Amino acid sequence: GYCAAIAEALRTHYGFTDGTCGFFDFFADRSPALDQKALAAVQAGLDAGNLDATRAHHHGRLLQTYETSFWHALWELDQRVH
């Protein structure tokens, strides 16, 4: 949802075009197919004994860390430009 809010704000307050908001538009809506694929992958890992709650939590934290790093890198870039 926050990607939709960012895209709307960029368009409304800064005049960004659809092309420049493409990244945010892509991630603005949830993808039921992607959710189903993720659940199937987790279930396959559980069924094969390759995944447990501790490992799943660890991988979730890694994803959050990567996303935080992405946003932090954008902020740093903005600070250099401005």
Side-chain angles (χ1 to χ4, degrees):
Y2 69 85
C3 282
I6 291 171
E8 179 64 25
L10 291 173
R11 287 181 176 95
T12 302
H13 299 289
Y14 300 101
F16 279 41
T17 66
D18 289 344
T20 57
C21 293
F23 171 86
F24 297 105
D25 290 338
F26 180 80
F27 290 103
D29 293 321
R30 290 187 58 141
S31 169
L34 185 57
D35 289 348
Q36 290 171 354
K37 287 180 180 180
L39 287 173
V42 170
Q43 190 61 57
L46 291 169
D47 293 345
N50 297 325
L51 184 64
D52 58 28
T54 300
R55 289 186 76 185
H57 179 75
H58 175 72
H59 290 293
R61 293 293 296 158
L62 284 174
L63 286 171
Q64 289 176 328
T65 300
Y66 296 149
E67 184 175 10
T68 300
S69 295
F70 169 78
W71 291 112
H72 189 72
L74 289 182
W75 180 82
E76 286 181 356
L77 179 61
D78 180 66
Q79 298 307 302
R80 291 182 194 150
V81 171
H82 294 102

